[in-house]
Amino acid sequence: MAAQSELFLCPTHPNEVQTTPFFDAIIIGAGAAGLFCAGQAGQRGLKVLLIDHADKVAEKIRISGGGRCNFTNRDLDPAAPHKHFVGQNPQFCRSALSRYTPADFIALVQKHGIPFHEKHKGQLFADRSAEDIIAMLLAECEAGGVTRWQPCSVKKIDFLASSASESCWGSYQIDTDHGPVSTGALVIATGGLSIPKIGATDFGYRLAQQFNIPLIERKPGLVPLTFDGAGWAPYAQLAGLALPVQIITGVKKNRMAFDEDLLFTHRGLSGPAVLQISSYWQDGTPLAINLAPTADLPAALAQGKARSRKLIANELATLVPSRLADAWAQREADWQRPINEASDKALARLAEQLARWELTPTGTEGYKKAEVTLGGVDTRVLSQQTMECKTQPGLYFIGEVVDVTGWLGGYNFQWAWASAHACAQALPMEGQ
Ligand SMILES: Cc1cc2nc3c(=O)[nH]c(=O)nc-3n(C[C@H](O)[C@H](O)[C@H](O)COP(=O)(O)OP(=O)(O)OC[C@H]3O[C@@H](n4cnc5c(N)ncnc54)[C@H](O)[C@@H]3O)c2cc1C
């Protein structure tokens, strides 16, 4: 760590002496994007300071993917980012994603000898633990000679645009509880608002506001949905039940559908299907869920009626989990009888409603359970090549703080790596 009282020479005006330590780049936030950017920039030869206010680096990597970190996704198509990324302009991330692909990150993981495996839909996880990925990122920082200050709070940031020596001393004066530092390139990698208890803050958004950088409205994404009120009571008893479904929100060009598992919770619905759809769901609008997406329900129920005297709930249990079949049959008196006694109309209604359960969430579990934050720094003011702010020279935003949100399945980490890489390659060297 550079001592606060050290004297520093300006690289292009060596006769000038400053008491504030100078770094080519200062990165705030030692999460996925910040750590990766620091290591890459350091290895290019830049003098880099990485600051984080938390006791430990990369807490989100630590808890990600159930502790095994779903670090990327092989199915990511950099040429079609709209397929897996949400934001006002999903095309924004195309350049960075094309220049640093899942294959690039996989090669790095392999270089560090980290064993990994593929789960479904191209998702790659560390075999042992997310700690392997963190250790790799720290080793990359070490290789780049990165200075880390942690825990360290940033108290104030000033941009000295009118300074006579601005071109060489850097324009950002940063007051931290380890003392003042300055730089010409300030990288904000403070992430989103989810899981505040492990260090998430609105730092990046506040800094954007300080520099009049527009923000897209933030809201929790990849988050369980809740259903308040008595109407939910019959389903609350299904808490813990998981089943494959198709889930749909929106209409026409805003229609979005996922075929994934759904999980009932005490307060509502979760599981991959619901987390994915939550990033597209608009407040007050309904969801439609097909609870037996692979079954031909009308045909199966008609056959049941022809050959069985079982209760409808029991017959239904051959198509969906029995707890769900029981709860579902309770919805109508016509469905609480042997299937051979049910009218064709009642069975048609049953098939229709199972295939299209329409329900309107009352809200979400919020940032305490969300995996990501939707919205953030408006991409219209950022360069897609460098992540630098077009209206504020030397200020860069990378990772989740930007209005780019990936699907569940490793897409968010790939955005963190790719945006960090784009920025790290563009950061100016000393005196440039
Ligand atoms: C439970 C959970 C599981 C997840 N699993 C996956 C997964 O498997 N795959 C995937 O792709 N994505 C996953 N994500 C999403 C992924 O973790 C994030 O998208 C990613 O970490 C974002 O990287 P980032 O560097 O932008 O932000 P972060 O990794 O959140 O890092 C931000 C850093 O900034 C620091 N910071 C914040 N405020 C300040 C401040 N005021 N001063 C100094 N430092 C500050 C924080 O301490 C933190 O270290 C998961 C998220 C959660 C919550």
Side-chain angles (χ1 to χ4, degrees), residues 28-34 52-54 58 60 63-65 70 189-191 194-195 199 201 203 370-372 399-400 410-413 416:
I28 304 180
D52 200 294
H53 70 152
K60 272 196 196 151
I63 61 169
S64 68
N70 177 193
T190 45
S194 60
I195 326 277
T201 71
F203 181 93
E371 288 203 7
V372 288
E400 197 181 314
Y411 295 97
N412 285 296
F413 279 138

Side-chain angles (χ1 to χ4, degrees), residues 342-412:
S343 71
D344 289 346
K345 258 189 178 170
L347 291 184
R349 231 176 17 254
L350 176 59
E352 202 179 297
Q353 291 186 22
L354 263 179
R356 193 173 173 84
W357 183 25
E358 285 207 13
L359 64 177
T360 302
T362 45
T364 77
E365 290 284 6
Y367 290 116
K368 69 178 189 307
K369 294 262 176 78
E371 288 203 7
V372 288
T373 301
L374 296 160
V377 172
D378 191 333
T379 55
R380 281 175 303 183
V381 296
L382 300 181
S383 153
Q384 43 184 296
Q385 268 75 42
T386 66
M387 305 293 133
E388 186 178 11
C389 185
K390 293 173 191 164
T391 54
Q392 183 60 42
L395 183 60
Y396 300 74
F397 291 89
I398 58 173
E400 197 181 314
V401 72
V402 178
D403 174 32
V404 172
T405 305
W407 280 17
L408 193 74
Y411 295 97
N412 285 296

Side-chain angles (χ1 to χ4, degrees), residues 170-252:
S171 308
Y172 295 91
Q173 302 292 317
I174 303 165
D175 188 13
T176 80
D177 62 9
H178 283 38
V181 274
S182 70
T183 185
L186 176 61
V187 182
I188 304 304
T190 45
L193 297 167
S194 60
I195 326 277
K197 71 172 185 225
I198 58 165
T201 71
D202 63 354
F203 181 93
Y205 311 124
R206 278 191 284 114
L207 191 83
Q209 281 165 333
Q210 179 185 331
F211 290 105
N212 293 318
I213 294 164
L215 294 172
I216 303 300
E217 189 193 350
R218 275 81 61 216
K219 57 181 196 167
L222 299 181
V223 63
L225 298 172
T226 54
F227 297 82
D228 295 338
W232 188 252
Y235 308 107
Q237 57 176 324
L238 298 177
L241 176 72
L243 72 159
V245 301
Q246 184 181 68
I247 191 164
I248 301 169
T249 191
V251 287
K252 295 190 176 157

